[in-house]
mmCIF file with all atom_site columns, all heavy atoms in Angstrom:
data_model
loop_
_atom_site.group_PDB
_atom_site.id
_atom_site.type_symbol
_atom_site.label_atom_id
_atom_site.label_alt_id
_atom_site.label_comp_id
_atom_site.label_asym_id
_atom_site.label_entity_id
_atom_site.label_seq_id
_atom_site.pdbx_PDB_ins_code
_atom_site.Cartn_x
_atom_site.Cartn_y
_atom_site.Cartn_z
_atom_site.occupancy
_atom_site.B_iso_or_equiv
_atom_site.pdbx_formal_charge
_atom_site.auth_seq_id
_atom_site.auth_comp_id
_atom_site.auth_asym_id
_atom_site.auth_atom_id
_atom_site.pdbx_PDB_model_num
ATOM 1  N N   . PHE G 1 103  ? 21.988  -7.959  6.245   1.00 87.00 ? 103  PHE G N   1
ATOM 2  C CA  . PHE G 1 103  ? 20.928  -7.627  5.291   1.00 87.00 ? 103  PHE G CA  1
ATOM 3  C C   . PHE G 1 103  ? 21.262  -6.419  4.436   1.00 87.00 ? 103  PHE G C   1
ATOM 4  O O   . PHE G 1 103  ? 21.781  -5.426  4.928   1.00 87.00 ? 103  PHE G O   1
ATOM 5  C CB  . PHE G 1 103  ? 19.618  -7.360  6.030   1.00 87.00 ? 103  PHE G CB  1
ATOM 6  C CG  . PHE G 1 103  ? 19.072  -8.574  6.713   1.00 87.00 ? 103  PHE G CG  1
ATOM 7  C CD1 . PHE G 1 103  ? 18.950  -8.625  8.081   1.00 87.00 ? 103  PHE G CD1 1
ATOM 8  C CD2 . PHE G 1 103  ? 18.701  -9.685  5.965   1.00 87.00 ? 103  PHE G CD2 1
ATOM 9  C CE1 . PHE G 1 103  ? 18.454  -9.752  8.704   1.00 87.00 ? 103  PHE G CE1 1
ATOM 10 C CE2 . PHE G 1 103  ? 18.201  -10.812 6.574   1.00 87.00 ? 103  PHE G CE2 1
ATOM 11 C CZ  . PHE G 1 103  ? 18.084  -10.855 7.958   1.00 87.00 ? 103  PHE G CZ  1
ATOM 12 N N   . ASP G 1 401  ? 26.948  11.741  21.511  1.00 91.00 ? 401  ASP G N   1
ATOM 13 C CA  . ASP G 1 401  ? 27.468  11.996  20.168  1.00 91.00 ? 401  ASP G CA  1
ATOM 14 C C   . ASP G 1 401  ? 26.350  11.888  19.139  1.00 91.00 ? 401  ASP G C   1
ATOM 15 O O   . ASP G 1 401  ? 26.242  12.697  18.227  1.00 91.00 ? 401  ASP G O   1
ATOM 16 C CB  . ASP G 1 401  ? 28.571  10.988  19.813  1.00 91.00 ? 401  ASP G CB  1
ATOM 17 C CG  . ASP G 1 401  ? 29.849  11.290  20.565  1.00 91.00 ? 401  ASP G CG  1
ATOM 18 O OD1 . ASP G 1 401  ? 29.920  12.364  21.198  1.00 91.00 ? 401  ASP G OD1 1
ATOM 19 O OD2 . ASP G 1 401  ? 30.766  10.441  20.526  1.00 91.00 ? 401  ASP G OD2 1
ATOM 20 N N   . LEU G 1 416  ? 23.751  -0.121  17.211  1.00 90.00 ? 416  LEU G N   1
ATOM 21 C CA  . LEU G 1 416  ? 24.114  -1.510  17.512  1.00 90.00 ? 416  LEU G CA  1
ATOM 22 C C   . LEU G 1 416  ? 23.429  -1.996  18.789  1.00 90.00 ? 416  LEU G C   1
ATOM 23 O O   . LEU G 1 416  ? 23.430  -3.187  19.067  1.00 90.00 ? 416  LEU G O   1
ATOM 24 C CB  . LEU G 1 416  ? 25.634  -1.646  17.667  1.00 90.00 ? 416  LEU G CB  1
ATOM 25 C CG  . LEU G 1 416  ? 26.449  -1.815  16.386  1.00 90.00 ? 416  LEU G CG  1
ATOM 26 C CD1 . LEU G 1 416  ? 27.861  -2.212  16.729  1.00 90.00 ? 416  LEU G CD1 1
ATOM 27 C CD2 . LEU G 1 416  ? 25.837  -2.865  15.475  1.00 90.00 ? 416  LEU G CD2 1
ATOM 28 N N   . ARG G 1 496  ? 17.584  -8.260  41.374  1.00 96.00 ? 496  ARG G N   1
ATOM 29 C CA  . ARG G 1 496  ? 16.546  -7.512  42.103  1.00 96.00 ? 496  ARG G CA  1
ATOM 30 C C   . ARG G 1 496  ? 17.039  -6.128  42.453  1.00 96.00 ? 496  ARG G C   1
ATOM 31 O O   . ARG G 1 496  ? 16.371  -5.127  42.229  1.00 96.00 ? 496  ARG G O   1
ATOM 32 C CB  . ARG G 1 496  ? 16.212  -8.240  43.407  1.00 96.00 ? 496  ARG G CB  1
ATOM 33 C CG  . ARG G 1 496  ? 15.241  -9.352  43.215  1.00 96.00 ? 496  ARG G CG  1
ATOM 34 C CD  . ARG G 1 496  ? 14.716  -9.859  44.563  1.00 96.00 ? 496  ARG G CD  1
ATOM 35 N NE  . ARG G 1 496  ? 14.091  -11.129 44.310  1.00 96.00 ? 496  ARG G NE  1
ATOM 36 C CZ  . ARG G 1 496  ? 14.627  -12.311 44.607  1.00 96.00 ? 496  ARG G CZ  1
ATOM 37 N NH1 . ARG G 1 496  ? 15.793  -12.382 45.207  1.00 96.00 ? 496  ARG G NH1 1
ATOM 38 N NH2 . ARG G 1 496  ? 13.987  -13.421 44.305  1.00 96.00 ? 496  ARG G NH2 1
ATOM 39 N N   . LEU G 1 642  ? -2.199  4.124   52.848  1.00 83.00 ? 642  LEU G N   1
ATOM 40 C CA  . LEU G 1 642  ? -2.927  4.634   51.691  1.00 83.00 ? 642  LEU G CA  1
ATOM 41 C C   . LEU G 1 642  ? -4.044  5.547   52.139  1.00 83.00 ? 642  LEU G C   1
ATOM 42 O O   . LEU G 1 642  ? -4.793  5.227   53.051  1.00 83.00 ? 642  LEU G O   1
ATOM 43 C CB  . LEU G 1 642  ? -3.522  3.481   50.889  1.00 83.00 ? 642  LEU G CB  1
ATOM 44 C CG  . LEU G 1 642  ? -2.541  2.545   50.216  1.00 83.00 ? 642  LEU G CG  1
ATOM 45 C CD1 . LEU G 1 642  ? -3.311  1.391   49.589  1.00 83.00 ? 642  LEU G CD1 1
ATOM 46 C CD2 . LEU G 1 642  ? -1.738  3.275   49.169  1.00 83.00 ? 642  LEU G CD2 1
ATOM 47 N N   . ARG G 1 1192 ? -9.461  29.404  -16.981 1.00 78.00 ? 1192 ARG G N   1
ATOM 48 C CA  . ARG G 1 1192 ? -9.572  30.243  -15.792 1.00 78.00 ? 1192 ARG G CA  1
ATOM 49 C C   . ARG G 1 1192 ? -8.957  29.539  -14.594 1.00 78.00 ? 1192 ARG G C   1
ATOM 50 O O   . ARG G 1 1192 ? -8.210  30.116  -13.840 1.00 78.00 ? 1192 ARG G O   1
ATOM 51 C CB  . ARG G 1 1192 ? -11.043 30.534  -15.505 1.00 78.00 ? 1192 ARG G CB  1
ATOM 52 C CG  . ARG G 1 1192 ? -11.630 31.617  -16.390 1.00 78.00 ? 1192 ARG G CG  1
ATOM 53 C CD  . ARG G 1 1192 ? -12.897 32.159  -15.773 1.00 78.00 ? 1192 ARG G CD  1
ATOM 54 N NE  . ARG G 1 1192 ? -13.877 31.130  -15.482 1.00 78.00 ? 1192 ARG G NE  1
ATOM 55 C CZ  . ARG G 1 1192 ? -14.766 30.683  -16.376 1.00 78.00 ? 1192 ARG G CZ  1
ATOM 56 N NH1 . ARG G 1 1192 ? -14.793 31.173  -17.575 1.00 78.00 ? 1192 ARG G NH1 1
ATOM 57 N NH2 . ARG G 1 1192 ? -15.623 29.743  -16.035 1.00 78.00 ? 1192 ARG G NH2 1
ATOM 58 N N   . GLN G 1 1467 ? -4.279  -39.746 -35.612 1.00 56.00 ? 1467 GLN G N   1
ATOM 59 C CA  . GLN G 1 1467 ? -4.941  -39.141 -36.737 1.00 56.00 ? 1467 GLN G CA  1
ATOM 60 C C   . GLN G 1 1467 ? -6.107  -40.029 -37.114 1.00 56.00 ? 1467 GLN G C   1
ATOM 61 O O   . GLN G 1 1467 ? -6.046  -41.240 -36.983 1.00 56.00 ? 1467 GLN G O   1
ATOM 62 C CB  . GLN G 1 1467 ? -3.983  -39.060 -37.929 1.00 56.00 ? 1467 GLN G CB  1
ATOM 63 C CG  . GLN G 1 1467 ? -2.710  -38.370 -37.575 1.00 56.00 ? 1467 GLN G CG  1
ATOM 64 C CD  . GLN G 1 1467 ? -1.752  -38.362 -38.736 1.00 56.00 ? 1467 GLN G CD  1
ATOM 65 O OE1 . GLN G 1 1467 ? -2.119  -38.669 -39.855 1.00 56.00 ? 1467 GLN G OE1 1
ATOM 66 N NE2 . GLN G 1 1467 ? -0.523  -38.023 -38.460 1.00 56.00 ? 1467 GLN G NE2 1
ATOM 67 N N   . GLN G 1 1611 ? 13.791  -10.781 -5.170  1.00 87.00 ? 1611 GLN G N   1
ATOM 68 C CA  . GLN G 1 1611 ? 14.244  -10.451 -6.519  1.00 87.00 ? 1611 GLN G CA  1
ATOM 69 C C   . GLN G 1 1611 ? 14.607  -8.965  -6.586  1.00 87.00 ? 1611 GLN G C   1
ATOM 70 O O   . GLN G 1 1611 ? 15.646  -8.597  -7.129  1.00 87.00 ? 1611 GLN G O   1
ATOM 71 C CB  . GLN G 1 1611 ? 13.102  -10.762 -7.490  1.00 87.00 ? 1611 GLN G CB  1
ATOM 72 C CG  . GLN G 1 1611 ? 13.473  -10.687 -8.952  1.00 87.00 ? 1611 GLN G CG  1
ATOM 73 C CD  . GLN G 1 1611 ? 12.207  -10.737 -9.820  1.00 87.00 ? 1611 GLN G CD  1
ATOM 74 O OE1 . GLN G 1 1611 ? 11.176  -11.265 -9.412  1.00 87.00 ? 1611 GLN G OE1 1
ATOM 75 N NE2 . GLN G 1 1611 ? 12.296  -10.186 -11.008 1.00 87.00 ? 1611 GLN G NE2 1
ATOM 76 N N   . ALA G 1 1659 ? 9.794   6.771   -18.633 1.00 92.00 ? 1659 ALA G N   1
ATOM 77 C CA  . ALA G 1 1659 ? 10.581  6.510   -19.835 1.00 92.00 ? 1659 ALA G CA  1
ATOM 78 C C   . ALA G 1 1659 ? 10.246  5.135   -20.392 1.00 92.00 ? 1659 ALA G C   1
ATOM 79 O O   . ALA G 1 1659 ? 10.095  4.953   -21.600 1.00 92.00 ? 1659 ALA G O   1
ATOM 80 C CB  . ALA G 1 1659 ? 12.073  6.603   -19.505 1.00 92.00 ? 1659 ALA G CB  1
#
Side-chain angles (χ1 to χ4, degrees):
F103 294 116
D401 287 350
L416 277 192
R496 277 192 195 104
L642 294 174
R1192 281 198 305 274
Q1467 306 177 12
Q1611 189 191 335

